[in-house]
Structures are given as structure tokens and as C-alpha cells.
């Protein structure tokens, strides 16, 4: 402390400096410094100043009194120092400074204990425990001092001898020891300090002192707070704020000390409680930021005082009545808070609350609309304490939602499906009152006041709603999550830059967490969000709120409750009575939006209603996606959804909106407004999807073993038949005679197949029947969905079912069916044709059913049926470049087999190319000239109608019905694009069937047919380039299901000639150059990249296909004589590799062939050595050395792995080729390449050859065959490698 450095020997003078420093650093009541008199003035002058100060104390101004007191204290300390210095101990020169001043020591004649002022420093510590220890030490020491002081008989003499420590005789603390006086004054000044945690620490010390030392009376304590923390007109800014906050903390310390309660207990007429309340009210009126904490101090005192004291003292405090009266005008939420808390404590109405509380008070009157309107200003102004929510809101929530009644309300809302007991009328009335109060509160305060105001008040509105959530019954969720709240959330969340975006996001998160474990709440929230956003909440807010809530349903009861609520929303039950407020709010909101909303017609409202109903229809099946229930529970939920969708989507009632089925013992209802055709279509689509998902989820279909109740398709058909038999119920649309006939036939056939399925048990036949049954059910719905399109296909499918499973005498014959011979093959052809005819216009569930049928029947498919499917993939709607007669189309298919992949045309022709070219270079084999390549997509002229060529109508309709339908639609629409896109979709669907076939039959010889046609379609630019998706799909099937599958075609029926032809064409495909289109000009980089990628894919297809075909050939174990054609194909390929610049065959690819199929290398070794020795291209020659090396390595590996006979065979093979091998080495060493890398490759090759020759023991033979003149060249070019060979000889 600063007084240590001054080295004063007087304790009084030292303490004066300490106090002065504290006053300057902590309290800082004024910037002006007191001018003290000089220290050499006499004692008489000081005494006269004391008398003058006492005389003028009552009349002088506060600041003048303060200055005079400080001057007098200074003079008194000087006098005391002079008197005490001769008699003080430890004042010698050898005494340490700390021993002289740190404890406030007493004189020898005094018996008062020491008081250590260092505790004041720790009171300002940021650590809570440090402050508490310091406050306890302070209180403990001062208690001992005061006790000793109280035992003194001559207190006046003690005061004269003791250190006065700034204590004045008129401060009211006459019975307090000087140290205690000093501590009280210093603590009061300390609470005004903004240093660290001084306010908290000094207030704690003042609280403990006031509570434990009764000598400190309330009257002088309140007076000291006013005097020492006076705010004068000269104070501004931080200085005035510190004094105001200091008074606030000081009053809080007085309230918490308990002295006021003791005063009341001692004297019921004490004026100090009134004075204390009045002082706090006065302080609260000075600044807004003092208002809430000042009232919190009063409320803390109110909780401790008895009711009599509250009525006679607190409510009678001066200024309180006026404060309550003007509260609603100025907007004072703290006045409302104080009134509510006092009224709650005393439970008695008082006229002083007349402006704030109803008289008599009751929750229903308080939350009446008129009374809430009078409180709007008070509650609006509570935003000043944001982001914290004002204390008045939790109090309002507690009154609005009492705990006991809310529990009853939750029970009632959660058990709405259970019959209510007769004795629940009282709880029902309480619940109704709560619902009414909540509605008034939300409409008047939240929606009409806060939401219509600033961003801060919108923020407050959402915070208040979060306060309501923990106690909110499910029956009130629709009131809280109202139209305007949802619209507010959508407005905020639709823009991420919104100021309140994070607030709304937090609100939704808390709302989602609140409903997490409660299905009743979750259902109510989902319904509210979607109802007020027309089913588009997630779409508008760009969140997944509703989707995530839907995914959280885990129980059967929760799902059924959700289904019931959605059905009620769809039927619009009680909308006029349940939502009058929402309707009025919508009108008000629309009136604010302007003329755009006023222009909306009734049709527009119906459109919004249809959007919401459409969401209801689509959401019902979606909850099954995330459910993890047992089969029985899931089946019950599926039935409820299916019944609703079937009733609303398939039927309508001619007699009212409600029909009772006595057979099903159920009532069926329809909306008052007729359901539109578009909504009926959505219902049918959802039924189809529901049945398709149910079919996929079935593991076994053993109906005879007790699984019949879980057959959703069978239940649907029975339900459909029952409703069709009700006279007052009819289908939503009138069917044509053909469709009606097909509709009834499908129903009858499904019944027959169901009986057949029961007799099959768990066999494969049962799976076939089950799949056909579900296809029939999907076809029934498809006839209703797309009338006059599927009746013919339905008739054909019924014929297939009859021939496959049902005896002819079991069904009535109408004479229209013709007997067909040929057995199963004919049946399969008809079935394939029927399935293909259903594919083009079918829905996704329908396609799923078709795929299931094809999966179980594809084992019996004929070659003709397979070719029909493949013909669809190869079919192209683009016009032919060479005009040809349609009658030659069948001949073209045969030519396609002869001209596989279209690579037989002249190299100069660009007709079958994709428009890419490449300038090949024998020294550059990595497509470096991509930048020079150009792409031209051959497009049809707009409006061209010549794509059909000379095809007449008869020829067109002789084609398959499914392709004819696409051509007809193309002509009717007068353009190419619709038919082209539909054909692509049709091809993709047929590819799915082919993929199923390949998965089920990977080793059949027919896989070769599928491969050749798919490869041809992929290479054809008009087939694959028209759609990237189609090309990728074909590529994926070729790679995953054929070329890289574990199984491959096997059997004696595989013809070697076909394999040889495919091998030759794929080798040509692999060597195909990257050509440049002559007519191309400045292609874009995107086209260049696409062109190059396609070229790489085609080349890769040729390579992979070659490996695959060789694997098939190798598995057949053909003789060497039979494989001569294969060897000839490779000879011609190698010849082109060495001689033709147009060959783009990769050396790595050829090397891999020789590595995998060594028997090819053995036959081609001699040819390869000749071509290497006479190669025109040095680059090709060096590349081919790897081929030779790979073949020779295989000879060595065979000789090592097998017996001596194999070694002899390897030696014999190599010995037979030694002349050509020596000739090659001679040519290589005589004409060493100029490039260093190539010379290294040559030396490396020669070294490996010498090593292989040595391994097989042919050193002598090799050197003998090698010409003499070549020995010298080998010595000079190869060096030690050749010398080592000669030494081994």
C-alpha cells in the first residue's frame, strides 16, 4: 500500500493515507481533490473546525459536508499521532515498517484486539473462495474488536486513545468500535468500485458484518449509503454509474443481512422497511438498467417478510403507489413482476395493484384479452435485458400453466382414444380454462404484439415460447405453434442472412428435442408445422425438420396416432370450430401483404388445400421407411394406411360423406369437397409403392405355414372387392368396357393364383405365383391410373397365368382365347412380350413387380425372347445415313452379327465414328494430340420427319408392340425428342431385366449373345452417345456382370468359330486409333474430353473382352489344331502392330496376354522373333522385346514348377527357336538404338535372354548358332554379360 512507502511513524496518519488511496482507486466519488490545511496549524484551529462542522452539518450541502469531514479527519489524525507517538511500542529505528502499520495496533492502555486491514485487498479478488475467506476473516476480527469495545467502561477515553480511522461522532455508529466504523465506511465506499470483483466482495463483507454485529444499526447504515454514495450534479458517465451501482449493491447487502427482518420482529412500527423500499424504488427510477435488479432485491426481502409486514410496510412505502399507477403507460415490466409476486405472497387483492392486476384476481381474468391488452406496453419493454429473458416471463408462465393441472391435461391429451371417466368433468373444465388462457396469451401478447414488432421482440417471442414448452400440454401445441409463428419461422429460415436465423434455428432444435420422446407431442408439432405451411415447411425453410421428426417414430401406437391425425387433417374435420383464430390471423396477415394476396381466388385456396392433402397422402407410407417393428405390428400399420389410401383414392360415395361396411364393421368417410382426380392418382401411386415395398420386405411366401395374414396384396384385393360390392360406393372414375372387363378378370385371376399359391407351399413355384399375383395387383391399379392403355396387356398376362398355373376348366372361357401349341417356349415368348409391352409406360412399383416376375421366370427364357430384349437395346430412332428399305431390317440384324461393332468399314470413312481422330506417331503412344482432336455430334435436322424412312404402316405395326407404340407417339407429337427420351427410358428398363438374367444365369451360353449385343450397342455412337446414363449403364453391366464376373459361359454348345470371330473383332477394337473428324472445327474442351474418355472406354472394352474370350477358350481345352485360327488372328494382329502406323494396340496389353495365356506365346514365339528382327520401327521393336522376354520367362517357370519332362519340352521349344533368337540379338547389337533409354532396354533384354539360356543349359548351342562376327559385336556392346555366358560354356 502507498502508506508503506511514506514511512510514517503514526498509525493514524498511515491509515489516513490508506483510506485516501482506497477512496481514490475504488470509490472515486469525486474528481476534485480536497485541499487540506497545512499540518502546522494548531489544535485550537482544528477544534474550532470541529465545532463549525457540527453546527453547519444540518444546513450544509452533502458535498460541502463531505469535504469538511475529510478535512476534520485529517486534522484529528495529526493530533492523535502527536499524542500517541511517545507512548507507542516498537517505534524505534530498528522496528520494521510492516510491524508498525499492517495491523491497526492499539495503545498500551487499550485492550482492543488488532484489526488487519489487508483483508480488504482480498475482497476484490476474482476468485469466489478467496472473497469468502476474506469476508469471514473481516467479520471475525471485527466481532472480536467490538466485543472488547463493548466491555470497556470508559469508551470515550478509549476513543480518544484509539485510532479514530475516519469515524465521525455524528455518523450514527456511536456504539461501534473505531475499527468497525472504519470498516463499515470503507465497505460502503468499496461497493462503488469497478475494479475486478470489488462490488461483489465488499457487498459480501457488508452483508456479513450487518448480519453478525448487532451494534450496526439500520438507520445509520442507510444514511451512510446515501451520504457516501451521493451522486452530485458534477458527476458524469462512469463515475455516476459506479455510485449508482454501489448503492444497489449496498442495499442488496442490507437486505441479505437480515437486519430489516430483525427490526420488524423487534418493532412492528419500524419505519426502516418503508424507507428501504422507497429508496430502492427511487433508485430503480433513475436508470433502466437499475430497475430489474432493484426489484429483485425487494422481491428477495418480500420472500422473507411476513404478510402483515408486506401489507403495512412494503405496500405503504412512499412512491410505490405512483410507480404502480404509471407502469402500464411507461411500460414497466418490473412493476408487473413486483405486483404479481407480492400478490402471490399475500394472496389478498389490494387497490394498489388496480392498474396491473384484475380485482378480484384469477388466472382467467388476468389472461383475458382485455386485460392482456393493457399489459402489452409493460411486456414489450422487457426486451431491454436481451439476450436474457426478463424475470416477469417465468412468473407469467407459472400462472398460465400450473404444474398440477398440466399433468392432468397431459394425461387427458395422451389418452384421447380412451373413453373418459364420468368424474373427469372438473379436470376437463380446468383444461378448457388453460387452453383458453393459452390461446388469449399467444394471440394477444405473442402474435399481435411481439411478432408484429421489432426483431428484438420477435426474438423475445420465440424465447417465451421456449419457456412454455416444458409445461405445455399436447392439447395446446396447436395454439402455440400457430399460423403466425410458423409463418415467422418460414420467413426467417428462408434466408440464411437473416438476423434472426440462428434464433429460429435454435427454436426448432429445442422444439425437436422437446418432442423427442413423446409421440403425442411429435404428432401435434408435425401437424401444426405442415398445416400452416401447406405441407411445404421443409421446402421453404430448407431444413429437414419435418423429415427428421417423421423418422423418429419408433412405436406402433405413435404411428397409429400420427395416421389418425393425418386422416383427420385430410378429411378437414371440425376445421371451422377448431381454428377460428388461425383463420382470422390469416386474414390479417394477408391484408398486410398487399394486393397480391387479395387476387387469390377460391381456386387458389383449393390448390393450397390440395398441396396439403398431397403431403398427407405421401407422408403416410413414408413413416414405414424408418420403422423397426416386428412383422405383425408393421403389417397392422400398413393395413391402416392402405385402407385410407384405397378409400380416398379409388372410391367415392354417392350417398353422403360416410358409409358403413357391415362386412368389415367399419365406417368410411370422405371429405365434404370431392377429391380431385390428381389426388386420386397420388393415392393410387402410393398404394402401388406400399405394395411394392411390402413385396420386397417379404422373405418367404409360405402362406400355408401361417403367413397369410401378413400378405398385404391379398388383403388389398379382398378390401377392394368388398368396397366394390357396396351399392352406394363406386370407383372414382368410370371405366370403359374393355378396362372394366380387364379389371374384373384380373381380380378373378388373382383369386385363382392365391389358391394355387397356398397349394404350392414353400416351393419355387410358390414364389413364381406370388410374383405374378403382385403383378396382377399392380396392373389392376395401373388400369385405374392410366385408363385404356393396359387392357390388352392385362388380357395377355391373364392368358400366361392360365397356361402356367390354372387349369382351363377352372375359369370361364369367353371364346376369345386361341389354343396355342408349343408348350413352355411359346408361353415364355408371350410372357416376355407382355412384360416388355408393360415396361414403357409403367410406374416404378409396376416395374419392380415386372422385375420380380422376370427374376423367377428368366431361367426358362428362350433365345428368341432374349433376342427380342436385345433388339430393343440396339434399336435407334435416328435416320439411317444410307436410305434403305424397311423390309431389309431383318437382314440388317444378320449383318450386325457379321459386322460386329461396326469396325469393318474403311479406315478413311468416318460414318461409324464418334467424330474423334488422332494423328498417330510411332514414337508417341499416349494420345498426346488430344488438343488437336475435334468432335462433331451428328445431330438430326430440326423437324425432320424422315426418320421412318420408307416404312409403311403395315411394316411398322409388324414390329414389336412396345416399339410401335413409341413410334406412334413420336409421330403424333411431331418431334424427335419425346420419343427419343422415352426410348432411352425403355432401354434402361430392359437393361434392368437383362441384368437380372445375367445375375441368375452367369454361366449359360446365352451370356455370349447378351455380351455381343450389349457391346455392339455400347460402341454404336447413336445408341450410347444419345444418353450418358444409358452408356454408363451398359458399360456397368458389361464390366460387373459379364467381363469381371466370377462365372463365365460354359458348355459344349459354345462354338469356337463364334469365339474366334469375337476375338478378332475385339483385338481390332483394342487397336482402333483415335481419329480426327475431317469436318470438325474448333471443338470445345468439354467435347474433346468427352470424346477422349469415350475412346478410352471403347479401347478398354476391347481389351477386357479379349481377356474374357481367351478365358472361355482356355476353359474348353481345345486341341492345338483347333486353335490354329486363334493363332492366325494373333499373327495378323502382331503384323499390324509392327507394320501399320494405324494400329494403336498397347504393348502392355499384348504382354498381359502372353503372361496370362502362355500357350499363345509358345505358338507365336518364332513369328514374334522374326518380326522383331525385321521390324521397321525401332520403337515397336524395343516394345516387342518385352513380349519375347515374357514368353521366355514362362518357359523357365514351367520347367521349374513341373517335372523333368516339362523341362525337356521347354528346352526343345527354345532350341527350335535359337536361330531366330540369335539373329534377333545380332540385329539388336549391330543396330543399337540411338536413345540411351532404348539402348538400356536392349542390354537388359540380352542379359535376360543369356540368363534364360543358361538356366535351360543351352549355352553351347546358343553360342554355336550365334554367328562368329556377332561375337565381337556382343563383346563390345554387352561386355561382362556376354563374357559371363561364354565362361559358363
Amino acid at each position: 500500500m502507498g502508506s508503506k512507502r511514506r514511512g510514517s511513524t503514526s498509525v493514524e496518519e498511515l491509515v489516513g493515507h490508506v483510506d485516501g488511496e482506497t477512496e481514490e482507486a475504488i470509490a472515486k466519488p469525486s474528481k476534485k481533490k480536497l485541499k487540506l490545511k497545512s499540518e502546522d496549524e494548531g489544535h485550537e484551529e482544528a477544534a474550532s473546525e470541529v465545532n463549525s462542522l457540527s453546527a453547519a452539518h444540518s444546513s450544509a450541502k452533502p458535498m460541502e459536508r463531505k469535504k469538511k469531514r475529510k478535512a476534520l479527519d485529517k486534522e484529528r489524525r495529526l493530533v492523535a499521532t502527536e499524542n500517541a507517538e511517545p507512548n507507542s511500542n516498537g517505534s524505534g529505528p530498528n522496528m520494521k515498517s510492516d510491524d508498525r502499520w499492517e495491523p491497526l495496533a492499539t495503545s498500551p492502555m487499550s485492550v482492543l484486539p488488532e484489526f488487519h486491514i489487508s483483508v480488504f485487498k482480498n475482497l476484490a479478488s476474482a476468485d469466489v473462495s478467496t472473497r469468502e475467506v476474506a469476508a469471514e476473516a473481516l467479520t471475525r476480527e471485527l466481532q472480536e474488536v467490538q466485543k472488547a469495545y463493548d466491555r470497556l467502561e470508559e469508551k470515550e477515553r478509549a476513543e480518544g486513545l484509539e485510532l479514530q480511522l475516519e469515524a465521525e461522532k455524528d455518523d450514527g455508529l456511536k456504539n461501534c468500535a473505531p475499527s468497525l466504523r472504519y470498516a463499515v465506511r470503507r465497505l460502503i465506499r468499496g461497493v462503488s468500485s469497478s475494479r475486478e470483483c470489488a462490488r461483489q466482495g465488499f457487498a459480501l463483507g457488508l452483508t456479513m458484518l450487518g448480519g453478525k454485529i448487532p451494534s450496526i444499526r439500520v438507520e445509520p447504515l442507510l444514511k451512510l449509503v446515501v451520504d457516501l454514495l451521493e451522486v452530485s450534479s458534477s458527476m458524469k458517465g462512469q463515475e455516476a454509474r459506479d455510485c449508482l451501482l454501489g448503492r444497489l449493491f449496498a442495499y442488496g447487502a442490507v437486505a441479505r443481512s437480515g437486519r430489516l427482518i430483525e427490526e420488524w420482529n423487534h418493532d412492528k412500527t419500524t419505519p426502516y422497511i418503508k424507507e428501504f423500499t422507497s429508496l430502492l424504488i427511487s433508485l430503480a427510477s433513475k436508470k433502466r438498467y437499475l430497475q430489474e435488479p432493484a426489484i429483485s432485491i425487494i422481491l428477495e426481502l418480500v420472500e422473507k417478510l411476513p404478510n402483515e409486514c408486506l401489507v403495512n410496510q412494503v405496500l405503504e412505502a412512499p412512491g410505490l403507489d405512483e410507480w404502480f399507477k404509471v407502469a402500464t403507460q411507461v411500460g414497466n415490466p418490473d412493476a408487473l413482476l413486483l405486483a404479481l409476486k407480492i400478490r402471490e405472497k399475500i394472496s389478498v387483492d389490494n387497490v394498489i395493484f388496480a392498474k396491473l392486476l384484475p380485482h378480484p384476481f384469477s388466472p382467467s381474468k388476468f389472461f383475458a384479452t382485455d386485460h392482456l391488452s393493457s399489459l402489452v406496453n409493460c411486456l414489450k419493454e422487457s426486451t431491454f435485458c436481451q439476450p436474457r429473458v426478463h424475470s416477469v416471463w417465468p412468473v407469467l408462465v407459472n400462472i398460465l400453466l400450473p404444474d398440477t393441472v398440466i399433468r392432468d391435461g397431459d394425461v387427458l391429451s395422451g389418452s384421447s382414444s380412451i373413453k373418459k371417466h364420468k368424474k373427469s368433468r372438473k379436470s376437463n373444465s380446468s383444461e378448457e380454462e388453460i387452453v383458453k388462457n393459452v390461446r388469449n396469451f399467444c394471440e394477444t401478447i405473442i402474435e399481435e404484439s411481439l411478432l408484429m414488432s421489432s426483431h428484438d421482440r420477435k426474438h423475445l417471442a420465440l424465447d417465451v415460447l421456449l419457456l412454455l414448452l416444458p409445461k405445455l400440454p399436447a392439447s395446446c401445441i396447436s395454439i402455440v405453434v400457430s399460423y403466425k409463428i410458423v409463418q415467422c419461422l418460414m420467413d426467417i429460415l428462408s434466408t440464411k442472412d437473416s438476423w434472426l436465423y440462428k434464433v429460429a434455428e435454435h427454436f426448432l432444435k429445442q422444439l425437436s428435442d422437446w418432442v423427442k420422446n413423446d409421440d403425442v407431442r411429435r404428432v401435434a408439432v408435425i401437424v401444426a408445422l405442415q398445416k400452416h405451411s401447406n405441407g411445404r415447411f421443409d421446402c421453404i425453410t430448407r431444413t429437414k425438420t419435418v423429415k427428421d421428426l417423421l423418422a423418429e417414430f419408433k412405436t406402433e401406437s405413435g404411428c397409429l396416432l400420427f395416421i389418425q391425425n393425418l386422416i383427420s387433417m385430410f378429411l378437414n374435420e371440425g376445421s371451422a370450430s377448431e381454428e377460428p383464430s388461425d383463420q382470422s390471423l390469416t386474414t390479417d396477415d394477408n391484408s398486410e401483404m398487399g394486393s397480391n394476396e387479395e387476387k387469390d381466388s377460391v381456386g387458389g385456396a383449393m390448390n393450397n388445400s390440395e398441396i396439403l392433402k398431397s403431403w398427407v397422402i405421401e407422408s403416410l407410407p413414408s413413416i414405414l421407411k424408418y420403422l423397426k417393428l416386428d412383422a405383425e405390428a408393421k403389417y397392422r400399420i400398413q393395413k391402416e394406411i392402405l385402407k385410407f389410401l384405397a378409400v380416398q383414392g379409388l372410391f367415392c360415395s354417392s350417398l353422403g360423406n360416410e358409409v358403413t361396411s357391415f362386412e368389415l364393421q367399419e365406417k368410411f368417410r370422405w371429405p365434404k369437397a370431392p377429391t380431385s382426380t390428381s389426388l386420386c392418382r397420388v393415392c393410387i401411386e402410393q398404394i402401388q409403392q406400399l405394395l411394392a415395398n411390402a413385396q420386397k420386405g417379404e422373405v418367404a411366401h409360405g402362406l400355408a405355414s401361417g403367413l397369410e395374414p401378413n400378405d398385404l396384396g391379398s388383403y388389398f384385393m379382398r378390401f377392394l372387392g368388398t368396397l366394390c360390392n357396396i351399392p352406394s360406393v363406386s370407383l372414382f372414375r368410370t371405366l370403359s368396357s374393355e378396362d372394366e372387363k380387364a379389371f374384373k378378370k384380373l381380380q378373378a385371376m388373382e383369386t385363382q393364383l392365391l389358391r394355387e399359391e397356398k397349394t404350392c407351399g414353400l416351393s419355387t413355384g410358390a414364389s413364381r405365383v406370388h410374383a405374378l399375383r403382385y403383378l396382377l395387383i399392380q396392373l389392376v391399379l395401373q388400369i385405374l391410373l392410366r385408363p385404356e392403355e393396359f387392357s390388352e396387356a392385362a388380357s395377355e398376362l391373364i392368358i400366361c397365368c392360365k397356361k402356367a398355373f390354372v387349369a382351363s376348366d377352372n375359369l370361364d372361357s369367353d371364346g376369345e382365347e386361341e389354343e396355342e401349341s408349343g408348350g413352355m417356349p411359346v408361353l415364355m415368348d408371350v410372357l416376355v412380350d407382355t412384360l416388355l409391352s408393360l415396361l414403357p409406360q409403367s410406374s416404378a412399383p409396376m416395374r419392380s413387380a415386372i422385375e420380380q416376375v422376370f427374376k423367377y421366370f428368366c431361367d426358362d427364357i428362350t433365345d428368341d425372347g432374349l433376342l427380342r430384349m436385345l433388339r430393343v437395346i440396339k434399336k435407334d430412332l435416328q435416320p439411317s445415313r444410307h436410305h434403305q428399305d424397311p423390309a431389309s431390317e431383318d437382314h440388317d440384324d444378320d449383318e450386325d452379327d457379321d459386322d460386329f461393332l461396326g469396325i469393318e468399314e474403311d479406315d478413311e470413312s468416318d460414318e461409324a465414328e464418334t467424330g474423334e481422330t488422332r494423328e498417330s506417331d510411332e514414337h508417341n503412344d499416349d494420345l498426346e494430340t488430344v488438343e488437336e482432336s475435334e468432335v462433331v455430334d451428328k445431330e438430326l435436322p430440326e423437324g425432320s420427319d424422315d426418320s421412318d424412312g420408307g416404312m409403311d404402316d403395315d411394316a411398322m405395326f409388324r414390329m414389336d408392340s412396345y416399339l410401335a407404340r413409341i413410334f406412334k407417339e413420336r409421330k403424333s407429337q411431331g418431334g424427335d425428342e419425346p420419343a427419343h427420351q422415352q426410348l432411352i427410358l425403355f432401354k434402361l428398363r430392359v437393361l434392368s431385366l437383362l441384368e437380372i438374367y445375367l445375375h441368375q444365369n452367369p454361366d449359360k451360353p446365352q451370356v455370349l449373345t447378351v455380351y455381343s449385343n450389349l457391346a455392339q450397342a455400347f460402341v454404336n455412337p447413336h445408341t450410347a452417345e444419345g444418353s450418358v446414363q444409358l452408356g454408363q449403364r451398359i458399360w456397368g453391366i458389361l464390366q460387373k456382370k459379364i467381363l469381371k464376373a466370377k462365372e463365365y459361359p460354359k458348355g459344349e454348345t459354345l462354338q469356337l468359330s463364334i469365339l474366334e470371330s469375337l476375338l478378332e473383332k475385339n483385338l481390332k477394337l483394342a487397336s482402333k486409333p483415335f481419329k480426327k473428324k475431317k469436318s470438325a472445327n474448333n471443338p470445345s474442351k468439354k467435347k474433346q474430353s468427352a470424346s477422349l474418355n469415350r475412346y478410352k472406354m471403347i479401347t478398354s472394352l476391347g481389351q477386357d473382352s479379349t481377356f474374357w474370350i481367351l478365358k472361355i477358350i482356355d476353359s474348353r481345352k481345345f486341341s492345338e489344331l483347333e486353335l490354329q485360327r486363334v493363332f492366325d488372328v494373333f499373327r495378323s494382329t502382331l503384323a499390324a502392330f509392327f507394320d501399320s502406323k494405324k494400329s494403336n494396340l498397347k504393348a502392355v496389353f499384348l504382354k498381359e496376354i502372353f503372361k496370362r495365356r502362355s500357350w499363345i506365346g509358345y505358338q507365336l514365339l518364332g513369328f514374334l522373333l522374326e518380326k522383331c528382327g525385321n521390324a521397321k520401327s525401332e520403337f515397336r521393336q524395343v516394345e516387342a522385346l518385352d513380349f519375347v522376354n515374357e514368353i521366355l520367362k514362362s518357359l523357365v517357370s514351367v520347367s521349374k514348377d513341373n517335372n523333368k519332362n516339362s523341362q525337356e519340352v521347354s528346352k526343345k521349344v527354345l532350341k527350335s527357336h535359337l536361330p531366330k533368337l540369335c539373329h534377333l540379338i545380332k540385329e539388336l547389337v549391330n543396330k543399337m538404338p540411338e536413345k540411351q533409354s532404348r539402348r538400356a532396354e536392349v542390354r537388359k533384354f540380352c542379359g535376360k535372354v543369356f540368363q534364360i539360356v543358361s538356366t535351360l543349359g543351352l549355352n553351347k548351342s546358343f553360342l554355336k548358332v550365334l554367328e562368329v562376327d556377332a561375337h565381337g559385336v556382343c563383346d563390345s556392346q554387352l561386355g561382362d554379360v556376354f563374357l559371363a555366358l561364354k565362361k559358363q560354356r
Side-chain angles (χ1 to χ4, degrees), residues 1243-1285:
R1243 292 192 183 98
K1244 182 179 179 182
F1245 168 75
C1246 293
K1248 290 184 178 180
V1249 169
F1250 297 158
Q1251 185 179 358
I1252 292 171
V1253 169
S1254 300
T1255 303
L1256 295 177
L1258 296 175
N1259 304 49
K1260 292 182 180 181
S1261 301
F1262 178 81
L1263 293 173
K1264 185 177 180 181
V1265 175
L1266 187 64
E1267 296 179 4
V1268 178
D1269 56 344
H1271 282 250
V1273 181
C1274 287
D1275 287 334
S1276 61
Q1277 294 291 345
L1278 303 178
D1280 295 340
V1281 177
F1282 186 69
L1283 291 175
L1285 178 67

Side-chain angles (χ1 to χ4, degrees), residues 80-263:
T81 301
E82 292 177 359
N83 294 333
E85 188 173 4
N87 299 323
S88 62
N89 292 331
S91 61
N94 296 328
M95 187 64 182
K96 292 183 179 179
S97 177
D98 291 344
D99 295 335
R100 292 196 305 268
W101 70 267
E102 182 172 326
L104 295 183
T106 60
S107 64
M109 297 176 61
S110 175
V111 292
L112 296 182
E114 295 180 350
F115 169 54
H116 299 83
I117 62 173
S118 59
V119 294
F120 288 106
K121 179 180 179 181
N122 293 333
L123 285 177
S125 174
D127 182 60
V128 178
S129 59
T130 304
R131 294 201 302 268
E132 291 176 351
V133 170
E136 290 174 357
L138 173 71
T139 306
R140 186 171 54 254
E141 290 189 8
L142 289 176
Q143 278 182 303
E144 294 176 358
V145 170
Q146 183 62 33
K147 288 178 181 178
Y149 180 78
D150 291 337
R151 289 193 295 267
L152 292 178
E153 296 180 358
E154 299 180 0
K155 291 184 173 57
E156 294 181 358
R157 182 180 177 186
E159 288 179 1
L161 297 174
E162 292 291 340
L163 303 176
Q164 297 302 311
L165 300 175
E166 290 189 288
E168 294 189 12
K169 294 182 180 181
D170 60 347
D171 59 3
L173 302 175
K174 295 181 179 179
N175 296 325
C176 297
S179 300
L180 181 58
R181 291 184 182 181
Y182 167 76
V184 170
R185 296 168 63 86
R186 184 167 179 179
L187 288 173
I188 293 175
R189 289 196 300 267
V191 293
S192 66
S193 173
S194 59
R195 178 170 61 91
E196 208 168 5
C197 296
R199 287 196 180 97
Q200 293 90 325
F202 279 73
L204 177 61
L206 188 58
T207 302
M208 297 181 72
L209 276 183
K212 294 186 177 181
I213 302 179
S215 301
I216 304 175
R217 294 186 297 108
V218 174
E219 180 184 7
L221 195 58
L222 296 179
K223 182 180 178 183
L224 282 175
V225 172
V226 175
D227 292 344
L228 295 179
L229 300 177
E230 184 79 23
V231 179
S232 64
S233 59
S234 61
M235 293 182 181
K236 294 182 181 178
Q238 182 67 34
E239 191 176 6
R241 188 180 303 114
D242 287 342
C243 285
L244 291 175
L245 290 175
R247 291 180 65 179
L248 180 69
F249 275 79
Y251 291 144
V254 173
R256 291 188 177 183
S257 67
R259 295 304 304 276
L260 292 173
I261 300 174
E262 292 178 5
E263 289 288 337

